[in-house]
Amino acid sequence: MPQSVMGPAGIMSAMTTWQDVERAEPEFAGRVRGLFDAHKHKTIATLRADGSPRISGIEAQFADGDLVFGSMPGARKGADLRRDPRFALHSATVDPVDGAEADWPGEAKITGRATATEGEKGSDRFVADITEVVHTHLDPKATLLVVEWWTPAHGLRRVERE
């Protein structure tokens, strides 16, 4: 069940945690988490003060049912998230191996809003309020691109493309 957090103008709103995704779609969440856990470094997109995008390297972890990530003190991505909490997080990308494309695990993305919490030694720590989770991969024959995505409002959906 989503937890409540204080939203804009002091209004309580529901927060979607990683645990909510796992409860709703355990198999899908397991695949996505596997892609994020496979490599230490991920890429995060934030919004600069002028509204233009910023892409930065970041480490992210799944801990106690949440997706959490941090930022060094004074880092621009932390300032971006404190000003505008919207983010997009991308797993590490690996290329399919020629001749073994069906073994490609794909890539994963999580979007949402970051809520600042207390970090260690003055660093920024954020907890994700998840709005969308995506897994892009190939079908078992490696003939179709498969895009699966989950949102709190619509659940899990899937499209296949040639």
Side-chain angles (χ1 to χ4, degrees):
M1 173 151 278
Q3 60 186 350
S4 293
V5 295
M6 191 66 70
I11 298 170
M12 294 299 287
S13 62
M15 178 174 174
T16 302
T17 66
W18 181 251
Q19 187 174 40
D20 296 326
V21 179
E22 290 178 318
R23 285 182 182 148
E25 293 293 340
E27 191 274 333
F28 171 75
R31 285 186 278 127
V32 169
R33 182 172 178 166
L35 289 166
F36 276 100
D37 287 346
H39 301 277
K40 184 175 184 176
H41 297 107
K42 291 82 170 143
T43 304
I44 192 168
T46 59
L47 295 169
R48 299 172 192 251
D50 67 2
S52 64
R54 181 190 316 271
I55 296 178
S56 306
I58 197 164
E59 296 176 20
Q61 299 83 33
F62 298 93
D64 300 323
D66 285 316
L67 170 61
V68 297
F69 44 87
S71 178
M72 293 172 37
R76 298 310 315 148
K77 65 187 159 207
D80 289 348
L81 291 169
R82 283 190 305 279
R83 185 185 54 262
D84 185 328
R86 294 176 292 173
F87 73 90
L89 184 68
H90 196 285
S91 67
T93 301
V94 295
D95 292 331
V97 175
D98 288 341
E101 289 84 358
D103 295 332
W104 180 57
E107 58 188 30
K109 295 169 249 192
I110 298 174
T111 60
R113 295 181 181 273
T115 301
T117 63
E118 191 171 321
E120 295 180 17
K121 300 177 187 172
S123 65
D124 291 324
R125 181 178 186 270
F126 298 93
V127 176
D129 176 6
I130 298 170
T131 57
E132 184 178 61
V133 180
V134 179
H135 180 204
T136 304
H137 56 96
L138 298 174
D139 73 330
K141 294 180 181 180
T143 57
L144 298 173
L145 180 69
V146 178
V147 180
E148 296 175 279
W149 71 102
W150 180 91
T151 65
H154 296 103
L156 186 62
R157 295 178 282 174
R158 174 185 174 114
V159 296
E160 296 180 349
R161 298 183 179 146
E162 288 189 34

